Amino acid sequence: MKKLKQIITQTKEIAAANSAGFNDLVWQLICYSPKMQVRLQQEQLLNEAEHFSLKVNDDYFAKKQLTFNGFKWGNGKHKILITHGWGSKAADFGDIITALREIGDVEIIAFDAPGNGSSEAELSNLLLFILAAEAIIKAYGKPDVLIGHSLGAMANVMAIKETEIAPSLLVSLTPLVRLKENFEASMNAAGVQQPAQDEFLESFEVLFGYPASYYNLNRQYLFDIEPNHWLAYDNADLVAPYPYLQEFLNAHPSVNARHYEGTGQERILKSPEMIVDLVKEVKIALEK
């Protein structure tokens, strides 16, 4: 978190001086994921897990193979895969993992995406989240339940498309819907002026081959048969604004969405009400 604050401060200073040519710093602002220490209770949960490591290729930033860390609880016949959000980690799902373990006969897998939590990399991006989820699916088999939070929810949708799996249940918690607008919000908060924003977005398209607007849940949610999808949100969420989500839900009425007032982007992971409902939905899906 200290480094992110330094990046934000430096970005604001250069933006205020109306200096040009600080695109590299804007990339750090967007793609550096803050690392938060594991708390004691989280550490205890991780100590109960089987630890593993897998590798993915980072063709854009590090330009090398990266190692990322994963954690597995249980050896049941029902697989549950959890994908965290930006600036988060597997341990942040502690309350949810603890509740899911009570179901019985499950294998729960969570991971720290490259550049997040305990995993390798200085900078991260959505594609590394997707590649990590795909690597776990390849190594451990198709999950019956796929759970994602924020950016991880978008990554899960794209991983389903890439691997052509059909989970019994897809769970999205406060999903990020529009990546470009999320970038713009971060740049606006740091005082990045429009010409510099345009420069960053142009360089993003050059690097990844697609504009940031391509990474939009509405654009990526294309299935022959839409998945059994349960979605939890707070309509006052400032990170994933509700008007964007409402557009998605209007386009996909089959999604079973529920509002959890006052939970916001992060606190929803600890909402007792949401966790009870989530476990109920998982049980129903696994019993079918």
Side-chain angles (χ1 to χ4, degrees):
M1 183 60 77
K2 180 180 179 181
K3 179 169 181 176
L4 179 60
K5 290 180 179 178
Q6 291 173 341
I7 293 171
I8 292 173
T9 298
Q10 189 176 0
T11 303
K12 287 182 176 179
E13 289 174 349
I14 295 177
N18 201 26
S19 299
F22 68 113
N23 195 43
D24 287 347
L25 185 58
V26 177
W27 272 99
Q28 293 182 55
L29 173 72
I30 297 299
C31 296
Y32 177 78
S33 180
K35 282 76 173 173
M36 304 294 290
Q37 283 190 328
V38 175
R39 297 188 296 274
L40 178 60
Q41 187 175 1
Q42 294 176 328
E43 186 176 355
Q44 291 172 341
L45 179 67
L46 295 180
N47 288 339
E48 296 172 3
E50 175 187 328
H51 292 217
F52 65 88
S53 295
L54 294 172
K55 295 182 181 295
V56 295
N57 289 319
D58 179 3
D59 296 328
Y60 299 100
F61 293 157
K63 299 186 184 302
K64 66 176 184 178
Q65 200 170 59
L66 299 173
T67 300
F68 71 96
N69 300 319
F71 315 91
K72 184 167 76 73
W73 295 265
N75 294 288
K77 68 177 182 180
H78 300 299
K79 298 181 186 296
I80 301 174
L81 176 58
I82 299 174
T83 306
H84 66 76
W86 186 255
S88 185
K89 54 191 179 296
D92 292 334
F93 281 79
D95 291 355
I96 292 174
I97 292 169
T98 298
L100 291 173
R101 293 175 74 186
E102 296 297 320
I103 294 176
D105 204 17
V106 295
E107 178 183 80
I108 303 167
I109 300 175
F111 64 96
D112 293 346
N116 292 259
S118 64
S119 291
E120 183 183 13
E122 177 69 13
L123 301 178
S124 190
N125 59 68
L126 172 62
L127 297 188
L128 289 175
F129 279 64
I130 298 167
L131 289 173
E134 291 177 2
I136 291 175
I137 292 170
K138 182 178 180 180
Y140 289 94
K142 186 201 85 172
D144 298 289
V145 178
L146 200 51
I147 300 173
H149 173 236
S150 191
L151 185 74
M154 181 183 287
N156 281 350
V157 168
M158 298 183 71
I160 288 174
K161 288 175 56 183
E162 292 295 324
T163 59
E164 298 183 336
I165 63 171
S168 299
L169 177 64
L170 173 65
V171 174
S172 297
L173 308 176
T174 57
L176 188 68
V177 177
R178 297 185 182 182
L179 190 63
K180 176 176 178 285
E181 284 77 0
N182 181 263
F183 288 168
E184 291 172 338
S186 296
M187 290 188 286
N188 287 333
V192 179
Q193 299 301 307
Q194 193 60 52
Q197 292 194 26
D198 293 341
E199 182 183 1
F200 166 76
L201 292 172
E202 289 170 5
S203 64
F204 180 96
E205 182 172 357
V206 169
L207 180 63
F208 289 103
Y210 294 97
S213 58
Y214 173 77
Y215 301 101
N216 180 314
L217 204 56
N218 281 303
R219 186 167 186 169
Q220 298 300 327
Y221 203 83
L222 299 173
F223 302 100
D224 292 334
I225 300 176
E226 291 198 355
N228 176 22
H229 192 172
W230 187 79
L231 187 151
Y233 69 96
D234 177 3
N235 62 17
D237 186 353
L238 299 178
V239 177
Y242 179 65
Y244 302 157
L245 178 60
Q246 187 175 41
E247 178 187 11
F248 170 76
L249 294 176
N250 288 341
H252 302 281
S254 66
V255 177
N256 180 12
R258 181 161 181 182
H259 175 228
Y260 294 89
E261 186 175 358
T263 58
Q265 176 74 192
E266 299 298 333
R267 289 196 302 274
I268 199 166
L269 297 182
K270 293 183 171 297
S271 165
E273 181 185 6
M274 188 284 295
I275 293 173
V276 167
D277 291 342
L278 169 59
V279 170
K280 179 182 178 182
E281 294 295 328
V282 171
K283 286 181 176 179
I284 292 172
L286 296 182
E287 289 170 357
K288 289 182 178 179

